[in-house]
Amino acid sequence: MKAIRVHEFGEPEVMRLEEVSEPRPGAGQVLVQVHAVGVNPVETYIRAGAYAAAPPLPYTPGTDAGGVVAAVGPGVKRVAPGDRVYTSYTLSGSYAEKTLCLESQVHPLPPQVSFAQGAGVNVPYAAAYRALFQRAKATPGEVVLVHGASGGVGVAATQLGRAAGLTVIGTAGTDSGRRLAAEQGAHHVLDHYAPEHLQKIMELTENRGVDVILEMLANVNLGRDLEVLASGGRVVVIGSRGPVTIDPRLTIPREANILGMYIWGATDKEAMSLHAALGAGLANGTLKPAVGRELPLAEAARAHHEIMETKAFGKIILIP
Ligand code: NAP
């Protein structure tokens, strides 16, 4: 079978499509025929050698795929060959024609959800769900600012927030991104590059501020985020690409909380709970991953350039 292999850390071009032997599922393992692969920013950090938990070389990147169970090992009970699934992590990497998973890493994909959408579930929706409900403990009626609503996590957070009865303010850097945020359910849409967008948030909330901020670029925004937090507000740092200066005094009158979020920090119970919630949302149609671009698996390097260098518009998907 074909798979992307990385033999040295470096630029996107270190990823090459190669012929590798097909994995065979052992006890408790599931082999998935991959129909679509989800590309996430973290895979670029790992490939560049800039990530603390780097895998040993050589490796096949990726954790997220939509596909069909090809074979199961002894003892597997929850899925059978032919089942449509999405993956949440894999043992052998998802940038491949087939990927080996633990039974706990495959989840049912309802028939109305395409394989490309299935490939867009795991990292973005787990991050959005964990940030909103397991870290910020958002409750219906609260106001959430999705600071970066045009990408994978932002679209997921907008759909999850809307379905849970939150008022969603979403931001994006382009007209197409703002249209996407509105289509995904954001009640209000703003441009995060417009200097006055935070003032507009105060107007939209009648000067109360927002209860929760999901922050995709904390190194740019965290200092100013604190100015638009309501009393008891929570900022969840999802993405950050450098340091930032904040005025801690802003947290005092609001009794504000700044929370980190790490999807790999979820306990087994929390992971089970969030995938149960995502499965319900996919089945009832409230969660629909937005596929922005599809590229052939052989163009993984182009996908890594695009996810870091172009403006976001839903998910970038690779097709084996
Ligand atoms: P993505 O699809 O590339 O989207 C990036 C988002 O950031 C877009 O909405 C983009 O908007 C927005 N953005 C760009 N400049 C911004 C600014 N100045 N202010 C606010 N938002 C801005 O990436 P993703 O998959 O959604 O992931 C988002 C971030 O979360 C990444 O840094 C990723 O590494 C991180 N992440 C962390 C975890 C974790 O466990 N902590 C899990 C998943 C993802 P425009 O392009 O429209 O400007």
Side-chain angles (χ1 to χ4, degrees), residues 84 109-119 121 281-283 285 287-289:
R84 301 174 91 252
L109 190 64
Q112 76 277 14
V113 185
S114 70
F115 292 121
Q117 288 176 310
V121 174
L282 291 169
L287 303 184
K288 291 182 188 161

Side-chain angles (χ1 to χ4, degrees), residues 51-306:
Y51 199 71
L57 295 167
Y59 75 97
T60 294
T63 54
D64 298 1
V68 171
V69 174
V72 299
V76 169
K77 295 192 180 70
R78 285 176 44 244
V79 291
D83 286 358
R84 301 174 91 252
V85 292
Y86 75 87
T87 64
S88 61
Y89 317 114
T90 75
L91 298 170
S92 61
S94 65
Y95 287 30
E97 289 179 326
K98 287 189 179 152
T99 187
L100 189 65
C101 301
L102 297 174
E103 184 178 13
S104 59
Q105 295 170 332
V106 295
H107 310 273
L109 190 64
Q112 76 277 14
V113 185
S114 70
F115 292 121
Q117 288 176 310
V121 174
N122 178 45
V123 167
Y125 281 78
Y129 187 92
R130 182 159 176 76
L132 260 182
F133 302 119
Q134 294 180 338
R135 300 296 289 142
K137 304 199 187 316
T139 54
E142 289 194 311
V143 182
V144 59
L145 168 63
V146 181
H147 221 169
S150 47
V153 180
V155 164
T158 300
Q159 293 175 357
L160 284 162
R162 180 81 196 220
L166 297 160
T167 298
V168 179
I169 303 173
T171 72
T174 61
D175 284 340
S176 56
R178 287 187 286 278
R179 268 197 303 277
L180 179 68
E183 283 161 16
Q184 301 311 313
H187 295 84
H188 308 283
V189 178
L190 300 171
D191 177 357
H192 44 231
Y193 297 123
E196 72 285 0
H197 81 280
L198 294 175
Q199 182 51 39
K200 287 206 175 133
I201 288 167
M202 295 312 287
E203 289 164 19
L204 288 170
T205 57
E206 297 176 333
N207 280 325
R208 206 181 67 83
V210 296
D211 301 292
V212 175
I213 299 178
L214 301 191
E215 186 50 66
M216 305 306 155
L217 204 55
N219 55 300
V220 171
N221 295 319
L222 186 58
R224 302 287 317 278
D225 282 347
L226 299 178
E227 297 171 17
V228 298
L229 262 193
S231 180
R234 295 84 79 200
V235 185
V236 186
V237 177
I238 300 178
S240 189
R241 294 181 179 164
V244 61
T245 301
I246 66 165
D247 179 355
R249 267 165 57 101
L250 292 170
T251 65
I252 295 172
R254 298 167 171 82
E255 297 197 306
N257 297 273
I258 301 173
L259 302 162
M261 190 290 298
Y262 187 50
I263 42 174
W264 290 274
T267 63
D268 288 349
K269 192 173 171 200
E270 287 171 327
M272 198 184 68
S273 168
L274 74 83
H275 284 290
L278 300 184
L282 291 169
N284 70 23
T286 50
L287 303 184
K288 291 182 188 161
V291 176
R293 264 161 288 179
E294 292 186 13
L295 296 170
L297 180 60
E299 293 189 28
R302 182 172 152 208
H304 276 207
H305 278 294
E306 290 194 2

